[in-house]
Amino acid sequence: MDDQTRVWEEPDSNTLAVFERADFADHDTLGFLLKAGRDLVLLTNLDKNLLMPDGYLILRREDVLQVEADQTFIAKHVRANGFGPKPQPFVGLMNWQQALSDIKESGALVVIEREIEEPDICLIGRILEVREEEVILD
């Protein structure tokens, strides 16, 4: 089984992986894959400059072109300094509405980015309401 298949089919939160995403070929995402659903994936995002965890990230699986385990110095540094994955929150990954509703129930602060449509804008807050086509933040 190659790295790509293994990372998707057998998510292991101890595996640091590089996620190459459509529309962001020059900006790979580095993180620990925590859970993979049919349409969405949840990972602990890693800041590539600070080499420290930077919250959780949910991506559409269809936007991920390639994923491979990172066996470089970065992976060794992250583990040696105890910056491994954080405990996994309960977030259902069947669709965006379920994921956002679960996050709402946790009361967690979120950052919502629409990277393609509005690349310079991000919304920050706690989720107050999840509707079919929109999310209301405080």
Side-chain angles (χ1 to χ4, degrees):
M1 183 182 306
D2 64 8
D3 266 355
Q4 175 106 1
T5 304
R6 183 181 57 77
V7 170
W8 281 132
E9 302 304 324
E10 301 171 8
D12 175 2
S13 64
N14 291 313
T15 300
L16 184 63
V18 177
F19 297 81
E20 181 183 329
R21 300 187 309 154
D23 297 317
F24 297 96
D26 61 339
H27 186 71
D28 293 340
T29 299
L30 184 64
F32 294 96
L33 179 64
L34 299 177
K35 189 175 178 182
R38 188 189 76 221
D39 297 329
L40 302 173
V41 295
L42 173 68
L43 51 126
T44 298
N45 192 33
L46 194 73
D47 183 300
K48 290 168 73 172
N49 295 318
L50 300 175
L51 299 180
M52 294 178 59
D54 187 24
Y56 297 102
L57 182 62
I58 298 175
L59 300 173
R60 292 185 316 179
R61 196 168 174 158
E62 70 184 57
D63 292 337
V64 178
L65 299 176
Q66 182 173 336
V67 60
E68 64 181 65
D70 186 326
Q71 303 299 328
T72 65
F73 165 78
I74 293 173
K76 293 175 183 154
H77 167 81
V78 167
R79 285 188 191 86
N81 287 289
F83 297 138
K86 298 178 181 180
Q88 180 177 335
F90 174 77
V91 176
L93 298 174
M94 289 298 293
N95 55 49
W96 281 111
Q97 196 166 15
Q98 179 191 31
L100 293 169
S101 292
D102 289 343
I103 294 168
K104 174 186 178 272
E105 292 304 314
S106 76
L109 191 64
V110 298
V111 177
I112 296 178
E113 298 179 68
R114 298 180 57 197
E115 299 169 307
I116 296 170
E117 293 87 3
E118 301 175 287
D120 297 328
I121 296 174
C122 70
L123 304 171
I124 302 172
R126 288 187 169 67
I127 298 174
L128 296 177
E129 187 176 345
V130 178
R131 297 180 181 165
E132 191 170 325
E133 296 288 326
E134 64 184 346
V135 176
I136 309 298
L137 301 180
D138 69 351

Coordinates of all heavy atoms in Angstrom, one line a residue, residues 16 20 27 69 128:
L16 N 2.5 12.7 10.4 CA 2.5 14.1 9.9 C 2.5 13.9 8.4 O 3.2 13.1 7.8 CB 3.8 14.8 10.3 CG 3.9 16.2 9.9 CD1 2.8 17.1 10.6 CD2 5.3 16.8 10.3
E20 N -1.3 18.3 -0.6 CA -1.2 19.2 -1.8 C -2.7 19.5 -2.2 O -3.4 18.5 -2.4 CB -0.4 18.6 -2.9 CG -0.3 19.4 -4.1 CD 0.4 18.7 -5.2 OE1 1.3 17.9 -5.0 OE2 0.1 19.0 -6.4
H27 N 1.2 26.3 -2.1 CA 1.0 26.5 -0.6 C 0.4 25.2 0.0 O -0.7 25.0 0.3 CB 0.0 27.6 -0.4 CG -0.2 28.0 1.0 ND1 0.7 28.6 1.8 CD2 -1.3 27.8 1.9 CE1 0.3 28.8 3.0 NE2 -0.9 28.3 3.1
A69 N 3.0 11.0 3.6 CA 3.6 11.1 4.9 C 4.9 11.9 4.9 O 5.7 11.8 3.9 CB 3.9 9.7 5.5
L128 N -23.0 30.7 16.1 CA -24.3 30.9 16.8 C -25.4 30.0 16.1 O -26.3 29.5 16.8 CB -24.7 32.3 16.7 CG -23.9 33.3 17.5 CD1 -24.4 34.7 17.3 CD2 -23.8 32.9 19.0

